[in-house]
């Protein structure tokens, strides 16, 4: 018997460094193309140091009444500089409440993703306590499934660890 999956939301990963020079028309065009392809949101891959002007432009331009959304993936390997916890908190508190930021689940939490950052796993308890509820979707594939299962983040129940393909998901309790 074949399993059938039903997608609720579809996301496309976008590298911020590739779109900082976008004009409003280019951004609108990409949003239109994404919506025509049934994509609900762009996941913005961001690296430090982050140009807040670039990010603010994308968040403002996206809030055009189209219903299209964005959320962040904090890239801990880009530019060979990991994210400082205080900078993650700043980005999330500044932009997480924006109407263009995607919200997830019955708690309406903002999703937050990472690319790697295994040396900064301990930062997430503090980040979460400072920004409130988040739907946390880290990509720590370098740990592999066995090492990831042994990790414990305070306040994140072990039962919330789901392993799907190469993506490891920790859901908020």
């Amino acid at each position: 018997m074949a399993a059938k999956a039903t997608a609720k939301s579809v996301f496309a990963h976008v590298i911020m460094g590739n779109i900082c020079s976008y004009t409003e028309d280019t951004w609108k065009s990409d949003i239109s193309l994404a919506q025509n392809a049934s994509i609900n949101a762009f996941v913005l891959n961001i690296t430090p140091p982050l140009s807040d002007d670039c990010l603010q432009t994308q968040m403002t331009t996206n809030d055009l009444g189209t219903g299209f959304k964005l959320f962040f993936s904090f890239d801990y390997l880009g530019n060979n500089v990991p994210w400082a916890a205080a900078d993650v908190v700043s980005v999330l508190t500044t932009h997480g409440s924006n109407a263009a930021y995607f919200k997830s689940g019955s708690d309406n939490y903002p999703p937050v993703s990472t690319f790697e950052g295994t040396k900064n796993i301990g930062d997430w308890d503090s980040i979460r306590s400072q920004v409130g509820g988040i739907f946390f979707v880290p990509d720590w594939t370098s740990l592999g499934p066995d090492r990831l299962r042994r990790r414990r983040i305070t306040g994140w129940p072990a039962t919330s660890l789901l392993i799907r393909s190469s993506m490891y998901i920790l859901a908020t309790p």
Side-chain angles (χ1 to χ4, degrees):
M1 174 182 271
K4 182 178 178 182
T6 303
K8 294 187 179 186
S9 297
V10 178
F11 310 111
H13 210 90
V14 175
I15 308 298
M16 279 293 290
N18 294 340
I19 64 171
C20 280
S21 62
Y22 270 23
T23 65
E24 186 173 322
D25 287 340
T26 305
W27 192 239
K28 286 179 184 178
S29 175
D30 276 8
I31 289 171
S32 178
L33 289 169
Q35 287 180 310
N36 289 338
S38 299
I39 294 171
N40 304 97
F42 287 147
V43 181
L44 300 180
N45 178 280
I46 54 178
T47 60
L50 180 65
S51 164
D52 199 53
D53 289 341
C54 175
L55 187 56
Q56 188 59 45
T57 299
Q58 305 317 320
M59 295 300 288
T60 301
T61 302
N62 192 53
D63 194 12
L64 301 171
T66 63
F68 197 75
K69 304 293 181 186
L70 307 168
F71 71 91
F72 301 128
S73 177
F74 293 89
D75 187 337
Y76 280 77
L77 295 181
N79 296 332
N80 294 314
V81 179
W83 279 92
D87 292 339
V88 173
V89 169
S90 176
V91 169
L92 291 174
T93 55
T94 301
H95 301 288
S97 62
N98 186 299
Y101 201 98
F102 187 83
K103 302 295 188 296
S104 180
S106 61
D107 293 320
N108 214 28
Y109 287 145
V112 178
S113 181
T114 69
F115 177 71
E116 288 302 336
T118 57
K119 293 179 182 173
N120 300 78
I121 288 175
D123 291 353
W124 285 97
D125 288 332
S126 173
I127 292 167
R128 182 174 175 232
S129 71
Q130 292 177 66
V131 300
I134 58 174
F135 187 82
F136 190 42
V137 188
D139 177 1
W140 296 326
T141 53
S142 66
L143 289 177
D146 292 332
R147 287 177 49 210
L148 184 60
R149 276 190 206 99
R150 292 191 296 264
R151 288 287 185 172
R152 180 79 171 118
I153 301 175
T154 307
W156 304 87
T159 57
S160 68
L161 177 62
L162 306 173
I163 300 176
R164 299 287 184 260
S165 183
S166 65
M167 178 64 73
Y168 305 103
I169 300 172
L170 286 172
T172 56

